[in-house]
Amino acid sequence: MVKVLVILYNGGQAAREEPRLLGTVENELGIRPWLESLGHELVVSSSKEGPDSDFQKHIVDAEVLITTPFHPGYLTRDLVEKAKNLKICITAGVGSDHIDLNAAVDHKIQVLEVSGSNVVSVAEHVVMSILLLVRNFVPAHEMIERGDWQVSDIARNAYDLENKVVGTIGAGRIGYRVLQRLLPFDCKELLYYDYAPLPPAAAEAVKARKVDDLKEFVSQCDVVTVNAPLHEGTRGLVNAELLKHFKKGAWLVNTARGAICDKDAVAAALKSGQLSGYSGDVWNVQPAPRDHVWRTVKNPLGGGNGMVPHYSGTTLDAQARYADGAKKILENYLSGKPQEPGNVIVGIGKYETSAYGKR
Ligand code: NAD
């Protein structure tokens, strides 16, 4: 019998009414009947912080851990050392930075994610976020809700995306899909910054130019979008120093991970007008505290904030894909079948991907 521990977000009333909210504590990725019919034990909870949490109580003897980036159960090195039975961590979604991957390597714990499962969901959100910042959408909508009507107050900071330079930090599955979706907007140029070059035909298909120096890259962009995983090389990458090299009044979209952008530096840049806008759905701590500065910070004209809770990759379409993918990974593990190579982040004792940093 295998003990499977699953940490998901609470779905509450919504999950009771909408069974397709599979990534919730209530709907348990849809795996309970199947797993129990095989005689395995399933523990599902949202309680993840502190020594009395279900996460920390059950991790000591669980063999399989399933987590989601939307409500991350942070598996620190300390917890890895206590998890004597743990063999495999499965991320229901994409992005496994909440697991200490180096500790997983050292302790021969595999880490897999459902690669590709929500990359279109995120790419669409990125394009929407770029448009809502560039076109100054949020203050325009707020004005309408307030009952006001003063077109010039909105138009003074609204632009077209056409003829702007847009660049992505990271041109993997999501970054590339963002570039593909931007092509019809007739941007002046599409740029990317990534140590892994796109295959020439792929770069040509989206007419994207690679820039090797990050400061040079941001200094050429009107819009920067972050689409790289969080690891040692990207934590705090967009900091006060780098923000000085952005074009004055640029827009920044980050749906990758909150901690890639320095919280206070981004807030200061938006407040001063160095950035015209910041938008995304990822936060350095999740759930974000009520007083997190990114909830309310605005540019000097009172707009430029497109922040939402972490949901771009958890649309109902995405949940169907990552619930199914997580089940397949678990099925392979339980029956000793090989895993899809693209899903393996950490194999037994080594990284199987170069996306989490150049090593
Ligand atoms: P991917 O592995 O296909 O691509 C990541 C790319 O980033 C790779 O090309 C890699 O070389 C590049 N990269 C890594 N470090 C870099 C660095 N220092 N500078 C520049 N480029 C770097 O991953 P993906 O599917 O595109 O997902 C990317 C990330 O997006 C995930 O790791 C996750 O953190 C985030 N994500 C967020 C959501 C959401 O709901 N907001 C959903 C899915 C994924």
Side-chain angles (χ1 to χ4, degrees):
M1 188 201 69
V2 168
K3 176 167 177 175
V4 179
L5 172 61
V6 183
I7 302 296
L8 298 171
Y9 58 85
N10 279 323
Q13 178 78 1
R16 287 188 289 277
E17 290 172 6
E18 177 49 84
R20 291 175 299 171
L21 280 166
L22 284 166
T24 57
V25 167
E26 290 75 5
N27 297 325
E28 302 179 316
L29 297 167
I31 59 173
R32 185 176 290 280
W34 163 72
L35 204 58
E36 287 184 346
S37 75
L38 297 175
H40 301 303
E41 182 188 355
L42 178 66
V43 177
V44 181
S45 176
S46 64
S47 150
K48 67 184 182 83
E49 303 296 341
D52 295 329
S53 64
D54 289 340
F55 179 40
Q56 296 208 15
K57 275 193 284 186
H58 288 281
I59 197 69
V60 293
D61 62 350
E63 181 171 331
V64 178
L65 172 67
I66 304 181
T67 52
T68 174
F70 306 102
H71 183 71
Y74 296 102
L75 190 73
T76 58
R77 181 174 283 275
D78 193 37
L79 287 179
V80 166
E81 274 154 17
K82 289 183 184 146
K84 300 287 183 217
N85 250 354
L86 191 61
K87 301 278 188 315
I88 181 169
C89 300
I90 303 171
T91 300
V94 172
S96 302
D97 50 277
H98 55 285
I99 310 287
D100 186 323
L101 297 175
N102 293 328
V105 169
D106 294 345
H107 289 262
K108 299 197 167 38
I109 296 167
Q110 300 182 69
V111 181
L112 286 91
E113 55 190 45
V114 191
S115 296
S117 57
N118 54 14
V119 296
V120 166
S121 323
V122 180
E124 288 185 2
H125 195 99
V126 171
V127 174
M128 174 186 78
S129 297
I130 292 173
L131 284 168
L132 70 82
L133 289 183
V134 171
R135 307 197 58 88
N136 209 18
F137 177 86
V138 175
H141 180 72
E142 287 168 348
M143 173 184 282
I144 285 304
E145 280 201 12
R146 274 198 314 273
D148 294 342
W149 185 288
Q150 186 58 48
V151 172
S152 55
D153 282 356
I154 303 301
R156 69 183 296 186
N157 203 24
Y159 297 83
D160 297 339
L161 183 54
E162 181 180 66
N163 221 17
K164 302 295 181 293
V165 178
V166 183
T168 174
I169 298 179
R173 295 177 183 87
I174 296 174
Y176 188 70
R177 281 165 178 78
V178 170
L179 296 174
Q180 284 179 313
R181 280 154 183 76
L182 288 175
L183 203 55
F185 283 92
D186 295 326
C187 294
K188 190 175 194 174
E189 228 191 338
L190 298 178
L191 307 179
Y192 76 100
Y193 171 82
D194 194 322
Y195 49 71
L198 284 169
E204 174 52 33
V206 293
K207 303 188 180 74
R209 178 165 64 86
K210 183 172 187 289
V211 181
D212 291 328
D213 181 81
L214 184 57
K215 287 178 182 159
E216 230 177 78
F217 167 84
V218 297
S219 72
Q220 294 176 40
C221 293
D222 297 296
V223 181
V224 174
T225 152
V226 186
N227 298 294
L230 174 63
H231 54 77
E232 304 95 307
T234 54
R235 186 175 293 277
L237 189 68
V238 183
N239 54 24
E241 172 55 25
L242 188 69
L243 283 160
K244 285 188 206 150
H245 295 269
F246 276 57
K247 271 191 191 173
K248 170 97 179 143
W251 296 275
L252 176 59
V253 172
N254 175 18
T255 54
R257 283 296 176 260
I260 296 175
C261 294
D262 181 294
K263 170 173 74 77
D264 297 323
V266 163
L270 188 55
K271 244 186 195 161
S272 73
Q274 172 61 8
L275 287 178
S276 279
Y278 183 70
S279 182
D281 65 333
V282 286
W283 305 72
N284 56 329
V285 184
Q286 293 189 184
R290 290 189 84 87
D291 62 351
H292 196 294
V293 63
W294 286 359
R295 287 180 184 263
T296 50
V297 63
K298 301 269 199 308
N299 66 27
L301 295 175
N305 186 325
M307 290 305 291
V308 292
H310 191 173
Y311 85 102
S312 71
T314 186
T315 58
L316 291 181
D317 300 298
Q319 296 202 31
R321 291 188 295 261
Y322 68 66
D324 187 50
K327 184 181 172 199
K328 279 201 182 108
I329 293 171
L330 183 56
E331 217 168 4
N332 289 340
Y333 173 75
L334 294 173
S335 59
K337 286 196 201 122
Q339 299 287 357
E340 280 288 323
N343 287 341
V344 187
I345 305 303
V346 172
I348 298 173
K350 60 179 181 12
Y351 279 88
E352 295 290 354
T353 173
S354 61
Y356 282 81
K358 277 201 283 191
R359 303 194 154 73

